[in-house]
Amino acid sequence: MNALLTHFPILPVVIPLVVGGLLIVIKDTHRHFRLALSFASIALQLAVAIQLLFITSGYQPDLWPYQVAVYLLGDWPAPFGIVAVADRLAAVMLTLTAFLGLTVLMYSTARWDRAGVHFLPLFQFLLMGLNGAFLTGDLFNLFVFFEVMLAASYGLMLHGSGEMRVTSGLHYIAVNLVASLLLLIAIALIYGVTGTLNMADLAIRAGELQAGDRRLFETAAAILGVAFLIKAAAWPLNFWLAPAYANACPPVAAVFCIMTKVGIYALLRLGSLLQPTGAPAAFGGEWMYPVGLATLIFGTIGILAAYHAERVASYCVIISAGTLLSALGMPGVAMTGPALFYLISSVVATAAFFLLLEMVERTRSVGADILAVSMEAFDLDDPDANLSERTDTVVGVAIPAAMAFLGLSFIASAILIAGLPPLSGFVAKFSLLSAAFQTSETMPSMAAWFLVGAVLFASLAAILALARTGIRLFWANETVTPRLRVSEAAPVAALVFAGIALAIWAGPVLDFMNETAISLDNPETYIDAVLSHDPVRKLGNGGGS
């Protein structure tokens, strides 16, 4: 069993890679087999991610004493070989990715997987890129997995065709190509200065740089930070997100909700590793906090100005990115745990909202009114009918099950996004605001007060915008009852119930996130686990593959 467990850190990359390749060669006529293979792939990824959660929580101390799962490809020791590293943070992101992928894939089987070609293999390659970005232990392979993820997202962004989708998709591709170029330039500069791209080794060598090399390293880190901020949808580099997400087909927009978090993950990962040697400004509060605050304000203005429901959902993604960046830019470790809790809650909420909006749009009709149809069925439209003498019918209009589901799901998603009690959005924001006041031992700083004010104002704006959107979708127009499939309703219900479950078990989940934050604040364990088999630096006694 231990021999199998040693390969678990690489399986989230290998499984979608193999299955994606198989899906390309299997003909579309075998649709059921292709779907079964796709579901099996993501279910296996979810099982591996959950197992990695247990491993990084200390359930395999004999195999990985550092509670960091390390896999050396080809058994080449770090920093000379490629390494996959799964710590608490990576395991959390892998689990969230697999759960989101499973729900989105189920929703797409209703019809969206057939709206264009190669949806299923592209979806697998997207998951491969996401998983690889969370697991990689060096900067070059971070770039590689970014490109795998983005290449798949380009195809998915254009899935379904349409003029608006193609136009916004081309803008999306152009911006991300520029970000990838910046990322490659930064990586080349960092390698030229330090002679390494392994993140654990980089954390050591960065502290040994002299004045001239240190300035060049800071410049490269600034370029790297800009590339990550573009991918994290930070202001003023996020003008591409709203049109791209609003015009993407619903399952693609839903899975894209986690893609902006990859940039935030990269900033958090490198910032924590470089912290002991003095993290560059691009990865510290000097820049992350004001950029995050500006992003939060921009998203708030955007959500108030947006009219179309899909654009409202897109600006919700920008608001979540701004909240995370500003929270992680605050000093100390107190806000990291609540920020990770908020990350999970915001991803499931916005993904559910994107999926839900497509079903709600089906209720629109130009000539049918559900209330009028129901009144006609009960003869309630007859002005001469004496309702007091009617005994054979029930006076009133029964709400169809589909409309009830859509209405309740919309309300739950809105509560999650706005951060109202009693769901996990409220717990996440309350924890963030409480932690903001703990960043100073004497009295809350002005930065904390600005953050609290911006988060509360964004929540108020979200309440107003989502209420306005709900009124327009459900009440302001004539509607018909849509026909919903179980494969469409079940994923939305699963995502909403995930937000409810996070609220019910908020205590244990927050404790786990706080422990994750503490491990990030002590990167020596990560460094020792990765470099423990280095023949030059013997920094540990175990923890390798």
Side-chain angles (χ1 to χ4, degrees):
M1 183 62 182
N2 283 353
L4 177 62
L5 288 176
T6 57
H7 298 285
F8 267 47
I10 200 62
L11 288 182
V13 175
V14 173
I15 293 172
L17 172 63
V18 173
V19 173
L22 289 175
L23 290 171
I24 292 177
V25 299
I26 299 175
K27 295 182 179 179
D28 292 338
T29 53
H30 303 286
R31 181 171 181 267
H32 292 294
F33 178 67
R34 285 162 55 89
L35 288 176
L37 197 60
S38 300
F39 277 109
S41 168
I42 303 180
L44 279 175
Q45 293 173 52
L46 181 59
V48 170
I50 294 173
Q51 181 63 39
L52 288 174
L53 275 178
F54 285 108
I55 289 172
T56 55
S57 300
Y59 286 90
Q60 290 288 335
D62 55 330
L63 191 60
W64 284 295
Y66 292 105
Q67 298 183 18
V68 177
V70 180
Y71 189 86
L72 305 177
L73 274 75
D75 209 24
W76 283 90
F80 307 107
I82 298 173
V83 59
V85 188
D87 63 346
R88 284 174 176 263
L89 177 60
V92 168
M93 299 304 294
L94 289 172
T95 306
L96 179 61
T97 300
F99 173 72
L100 180 63
L102 198 61
T103 56
V104 170
L105 180 62
M106 181 181 294
Y107 186 91
S108 67
T109 58
R111 63 190 180 102
W112 287 105
D113 65 315
R114 291 167 289 177
V117 296
H118 303 310
F119 178 87
L120 295 179
L122 286 173
F123 195 79
Q124 293 293 325
F125 293 138
L126 178 69
L127 295 179
M128 173 194 167
L130 287 167
N131 294 339
F134 297 138
L135 285 170
T136 184
D138 65 272
L139 284 177
F140 181 75
N141 282 289
L142 179 64
F143 167 77
V144 170
F145 285 118
F146 261 107
E147 291 311 297
V148 172
M149 174 186 69
L150 289 172
S153 73
Y154 299 154
L156 292 174
M157 178 67 219
L158 300 174
H159 185 75
S161 192
E163 181 181 352
M164 294 301 298
R165 191 166 293 157
V166 172
T167 301
S168 56
L170 291 176
H171 293 165
Y172 169 81
I173 293 171
V175 170
N176 279 282
L177 286 176
V178 172
S180 298
L181 176 62
L182 293 176
L183 185 60
L184 192 60
I185 292 172
I187 290 173
L189 288 173
I190 290 174
Y191 183 73
V193 174
T194 63
T196 185
L197 291 177
N198 183 279
M199 289 189 282
D201 193 44
L202 183 65
I204 296 176
R205 298 199 185 189
E208 301 171 353
L209 296 176
Q210 301 302 317
D213 289 339
R214 180 70 188 186
R215 284 194 292 271
L216 185 56
F217 175 76
E218 292 273 355
T219 302
I223 299 174
L224 193 67
V226 170
F228 290 150
L229 288 173
I230 293 175
K231 298 179 186 297
W235 184 87
L237 309 171
N238 57 3
F239 59 89
W240 55 270
L241 187 143
Y245 283 36
N247 289 298
C249 67
V252 172
V255 79
F256 277 12
C257 290
I258 199 171
M259 286 183 59
T260 56
K261 308 306 183 287
V262 181
I264 294 173
Y265 168 87
L267 289 168
L268 181 58
R269 172 67 70 196
L270 281 174
S272 67
L273 288 174
L274 296 174
Q275 176 184 323
T277 57
F283 300 95
E286 297 88 347
W287 285 102
M288 282 183 65
Y289 173 79
V291 168
L293 209 60
T295 305
L296 184 56
I297 295 171
F298 173 79
T300 303
I301 296 173
I303 199 174
L304 289 173
Y307 176 78
H308 295 289
E310 290 79 8
R311 280 196 172 253
V312 172
S314 301
Y315 282 109
C316 289
V317 175
I318 293 176
I319 288 175
S320 70
T323 303
L324 286 168
L325 288 171
S326 54
L328 295 173
M330 294 286 287
V333 72
M335 297 195 67
T336 305
L340 293 175
F341 185 92
Y342 174 79
L343 184 151
I344 299 173
S345 177
S346 65
V347 167
V348 299
T350 49
F353 198 53
F354 272 114
L355 298 180
L356 183 66
L357 288 177
E358 192 266 335
M359 292 189 288
V360 174
E361 289 290 340
R362 300 181 206 167
T363 64
R364 292 191 176 189
S365 174
V366 295
D369 186 343
I370 179 101
L371 183 58
V373 172
S374 300
M375 291 182 69
E376 182 180 359
F378 284 113
D379 292 332
L380 300 181
D381 56 338
D382 185 1
D384 298 326
N386 189 352
L387 297 180
S388 62
E389 297 179 358
R390 296 290 298 270
T391 59
D392 57 329
T393 59
V394 178
V395 178
V397 179
I399 300 177
M403 295 298 294
F405 171 79
L406 293 177
L408 291 174
S409 298
F410 186 92
I411 293 172
S413 299
I415 290 175
L416 280 168
I417 293 172
L420 296 177
L423 302 186
S424 61
F426 171 77
V427 178
K429 290 190 176 182
F430 183 81
S431 302
L432 273 176
L433 301 186
S434 300
F437 291 124
Q438 299 173 11
T439 55
S440 178
E441 296 181 357
T442 54
M443 61 180 298
S445 62
M446 290 300 297
W449 283 110
F450 279 127
L451 175 61
V452 170
V455 170
L456 292 178
F457 180 64
S459 297
L460 177 60
I463 294 171
L464 295 175
L466 293 171
R468 180 187 61 195
T469 302
I471 292 172
R472 183 173 58 84
L473 291 177
F474 289 97
W475 291 345
N477 296 294
E478 295 182 345
T479 59
V480 294
T481 303
R483 302 185 66 178
L484 305 181
R485 298 186 179 185
V486 174
S487 59
E488 295 173 314
V492 174
L495 291 167
V496 170
F497 278 116
I500 297 173
L502 284 173
I504 296 174
W505 288 285
V509 175
L510 267 174
D511 289 341
F512 185 88
M513 297 305 166
N514 287 327
E515 292 172 3
T516 303
I518 293 172
S519 67
L520 290 171
D521 199 46
N522 296 278
E524 296 82 6
T525 303
Y526 181 101
I527 296 171
D528 290 349
V530 174
L531 299 179
S532 59
H533 286 277
D534 189 341
V536 179
R537 291 189 191 88
K538 295 289 185 180
L539 296 182
N541 299 316
S545 63

